[in-house]
Coordinates of all heavy atoms in Angstrom, one line a residue:
Q1054 N -37.9 -50.5 11.7 CA -38.5 -49.1 11.5 C -38.4 -48.3 12.7 O -38.1 -47.1 12.7 CB -39.9 -49.2 11.0 CG -40.5 -47.9 10.6 CD -39.8 -47.2 9.5 OE1 -39.5 -47.8 8.4 NE2 -39.4 -45.9 9.6
A1055 N -38.6 -48.9 13.9 CA -38.5 -48.1 15.1 C -37.1 -47.6 15.3 O -36.9 -46.5 15.8 CB -39.0 -49.0 16.3
E1056 N -36.1 -48.4 15.1 CA -34.7 -48.0 15.2 C -34.4 -46.9 14.3 O -33.7 -45.9 14.6 CB -33.8 -49.2 14.9 CG -33.8 -50.2 16.1 CD -33.4 -49.6 17.4 OE1 -32.4 -48.9 17.5 OE2 -34.2 -49.9 18.4
K1057 N -34.9 -46.9 13.0 CA -34.7 -45.8 12.1 C -35.4 -44.5 12.6 O -34.8 -43.5 12.5 CB -35.3 -46.2 10.7 CG -34.5 -47.2 9.9 CD -35.2 -47.5 8.6 CE -34.4 -48.6 7.8 NZ -35.1 -48.9 6.6
N1058 N -36.6 -44.7 13.1 CA -37.3 -43.5 13.6 C -36.6 -42.9 14.8 O -36.4 -41.6 14.9 CB -38.7 -43.9 14.1 CG -39.6 -44.2 12.9 OD1 -39.4 -44.0 11.8 ND2 -40.7 -44.9 13.3
K1059 N -36.1 -43.7 15.7 CA -35.4 -43.2 16.9 C -34.1 -42.5 16.5 O -33.7 -41.5 17.1 CB -35.2 -44.3 17.9 CG -36.4 -44.8 18.6 CD -36.2 -46.0 19.4 CE -37.5 -46.6 19.9 NZ -37.3 -47.9 20.7
A1060 N -33.4 -43.1 15.5 CA -32.1 -42.5 15.0 C -32.4 -41.2 14.4 O -31.7 -40.2 14.6 CB -31.4 -43.4 14.1
E1061 N -33.5 -41.1 13.7 CA -33.9 -39.8 13.0 C -34.2 -38.7 14.1 O -33.8 -37.6 13.9 CB -35.2 -40.1 12.2 CG -35.6 -38.8 11.4 CD -36.8 -39.2 10.5 OE1 -37.9 -39.1 10.9 OE2 -36.5 -39.5 9.3
I1062 N -34.9 -39.1 15.1 CA -35.2 -38.2 16.2 C -33.9 -37.7 16.9 O -33.8 -36.5 17.1 CB -36.2 -38.8 17.2 CG1 -37.6 -39.0 16.6 CG2 -36.3 -38.0 18.5 CD1 -38.5 -39.9 17.4
K1063 N -33.0 -38.6 17.1 CA -31.7 -38.2 17.7 C -31.0 -37.2 16.7 O -30.3 -36.3 17.2 CB -30.8 -39.4 18.0 CG -31.3 -40.2 19.2 CD -30.3 -41.4 19.4 CE -30.8 -42.2 20.6 NZ -29.9 -43.3 20.9
E1064 N -31.1 -37.5 15.5 CA -30.4 -36.6 14.5 C -31.0 -35.2 14.5 O -30.3 -34.2 14.3 CB -30.5 -37.3 13.1 CG -29.7 -36.6 12.0 CD -29.8 -37.3 10.7 OE1 -29.7 -38.5 10.7 OE2 -30.0 -36.6 9.7
V1065 N -32.3 -35.1 14.6 CA -33.0 -33.8 14.7 C -32.4 -33.0 15.9 O -32.1 -31.8 15.8 CB -34.5 -34.0 14.8 CG1 -35.2 -32.6 15.1 CG2 -35.1 -34.5 13.5
F1066 N -32.3 -33.7 17.1 CA -31.8 -33.0 18.2 C -30.3 -32.7 18.1 O -29.8 -31.6 18.5 CB -32.0 -33.8 19.5 CG -33.4 -33.6 20.1 CD1 -34.4 -34.5 19.7 CD2 -33.6 -32.6 21.0 CE1 -35.7 -34.3 20.2 CE2 -34.9 -32.4 21.5 CZ -36.0 -33.3 21.1
K1067 N -29.6 -33.5 17.3 CA -28.2 -33.2 17.1 C -28.0 -32.0 16.2 O -27.2 -31.1 16.4 CB -27.5 -34.4 16.4 CG -26.0 -34.3 16.1 CD -25.5 -35.5 15.5 CE -24.0 -35.3 15.1 NZ -23.5 -36.4 14.3
D1068 N -28.9 -31.9 15.1 CA -28.9 -30.7 14.3 C -29.3 -29.5 15.0 O -28.7 -28.4 14.9 CB -29.9 -30.9 13.1 CG -29.4 -32.0 12.1 OD1 -28.3 -32.4 12.2 OD2 -30.3 -32.4 11.3
L1069 N -30.3 -29.6 15.9 CA -30.7 -28.5 16.7 C -29.6 -28.0 17.6 O -29.3 -26.8 17.6 CB -31.9 -28.9 17.6 CG -32.3 -28.0 18.8 CD1 -32.8 -26.7 18.3 CD2 -33.3 -28.7 19.7
N1070 N -28.9 -28.9 18.2 CA -27.8 -28.5 19.1 C -26.6 -27.9 18.4 O -25.9 -27.1 18.9 CB -27.4 -29.6 20.0 CG -28.4 -29.7 21.2 OD1 -28.5 -28.8 22.0 ND2 -29.0 -30.9 21.3
S1071 N -26.4 -28.4 17.2 CA -25.3 -27.9 16.4 C -25.5 -26.4 16.0 O -24.6 -25.6 16.1 CB -25.2 -28.7 15.1 OG -24.2 -28.2 14.2
Q1072 N -26.8 -26.1 15.7 CA -27.1 -24.7 15.4 C -27.1 -23.9 16.6 O -26.7 -22.7 16.6 CB -28.5 -24.7 14.7 CG -28.5 -25.2 13.3 CD -29.8 -25.1 12.6 OE1 -30.5 -24.1 12.7 NE2 -30.2 -26.1 11.8
L1073 N -27.6 -24.4 17.7 CA -27.6 -23.6 19.0 C -26.2 -23.4 19.5 O -25.9 -22.3 20.0 CB -28.4 -24.4 20.1 CG -29.9 -24.5 19.9 CD1 -30.5 -25.4 21.0 CD2 -30.5 -23.2 19.8
E1074 N -25.3 -24.3 19.3 CA -23.9 -24.2 19.7 C -23.3 -23.0 18.9 O -22.6 -22.2 19.5 CB -23.1 -25.4 19.5 CG -21.7 -25.3 20.0 CD -20.9 -26.6 19.9 OE1 -21.5 -27.6 19.5 OE2 -19.7 -26.5 20.2
H1075 N -23.6 -23.0 17.7 CA -23.0 -21.9 16.8 C -23.6 -20.6 17.2 O -22.9 -19.6 17.3 CB -23.3 -22.2 15.3 CG -22.8 -21.2 14.4 ND1 -21.5 -20.9 14.2 CD2 -23.5 -20.3 13.7 CE1 -21.4 -19.9 13.3 NE2 -22.6 -19.5 13.0
S1076 N -24.9 -20.5 17.3 CA -25.5 -19.2 17.6 C -25.4 -18.7 19.0 O -25.6 -17.5 19.2 CB -27.0 -19.2 17.2 OG -27.7 -20.2 17.9
T1077 N -25.1 -19.5 20.0 CA -25.0 -19.1 21.4 C -23.5 -19.3 21.9 O -23.3 -19.1 23.1 CB -25.9 -19.9 22.3 OG1 -25.5 -21.3 22.3 CG2 -27.3 -19.8 21.9
K1078 N -22.6 -19.6 21.0 CA -21.2 -19.8 21.4 C -21.1 -20.8 22.4 O -20.3 -20.7 23.4 CB -20.6 -18.5 21.8 CG -20.5 -17.4 20.7 CD -19.8 -16.2 21.1 CE -19.7 -15.2 19.9 NZ -20.6 -14.1 19.9
G1079 N -21.8 -21.9 22.3 CA -21.7 -23.1 23.2 C -22.4 -22.9 24.5 O -22.2 -23.7 25.4
K1080 N -23.3 -21.9 24.6 CA -24.0 -21.6 25.9 C -25.4 -22.2 26.0 O -26.1 -21.9 26.9 CB -24.0 -20.1 26.2 CG -22.7 -19.5 26.5 CD -22.8 -18.1 26.9 CE -21.5 -17.6 27.5 NZ -21.7 -16.5 28.3
L1081 N -25.7 -23.1 25.1 CA -27.1 -23.7 25.1 C -27.1 -25.1 24.5 O -26.6 -25.3 23.4 CB -28.1 -22.8 24.4 CG -29.6 -23.1 24.6 CD1 -29.9 -23.0 26.1 CD2 -30.4 -22.2 23.8
S1082 N -27.7 -26.0 25.2 CA -27.8 -27.4 24.8 C -29.2 -27.8 25.2 O -29.7 -27.6 26.3 CB -26.8 -28.2 25.5 OG -27.0 -29.6 25.2
I1083 N -29.9 -28.5 24.3 CA -31.3 -29.0 24.5 C -31.3 -30.5 24.2 O -30.8 -31.0 23.2 CB -32.3 -28.3 23.6 CG1 -32.3 -26.8 24.0 CG2 -33.6 -28.9 23.7 CD1 -33.2 -25.9 23.2
K1084 N -32.0 -31.2 25.1 CA -32.1 -32.7 24.9 C -33.3 -33.2 25.6 O -33.9 -32.5 26.5 CB -30.8 -33.4 25.2 CG -30.6 -33.6 26.7 CD -29.4 -34.4 27.0 CE -29.3 -35.0 28.4 NZ -28.3 -36.0 28.6
V1085 N -33.7 -34.4 25.3 CA -34.7 -35.1 26.0 C -34.1 -35.7 27.3 O -33.0 -36.4 27.2 CB -35.3 -36.3 25.2 CG1 -36.3 -37.1 26.0 CG2 -36.0 -35.7 23.9

């Protein structure tokens, strides 16, 4: 379950960065 949770958290940040890359033309990246 911990592995699933951690993968889900990584996926949220991946989705966030995908949207940020599109809206900022690659000028913004966010991560832990």
Side-chain angles (χ1 to χ4, degrees):
Q1054 185 60 49
E1056 288 302 311
K1057 286 180 185 177
N1058 291 345
K1059 291 173 187 176
E1061 182 174 89
I1062 291 166
K1063 285 182 182 179
E1064 189 176 315
V1065 169
F1066 278 91
K1067 183 179 176 185
D1068 292 347
L1069 167 66
N1070 281 302
S1071 176
Q1072 290 184 39
L1073 292 176
E1074 183 177 354
H1075 177 72
S1076 61
T1077 65
K1078 298 181 174 107
K1080 290 189 168 199
L1081 192 59
S1082 171
I1083 294 177
K1084 74 175 199 172
V1085 175

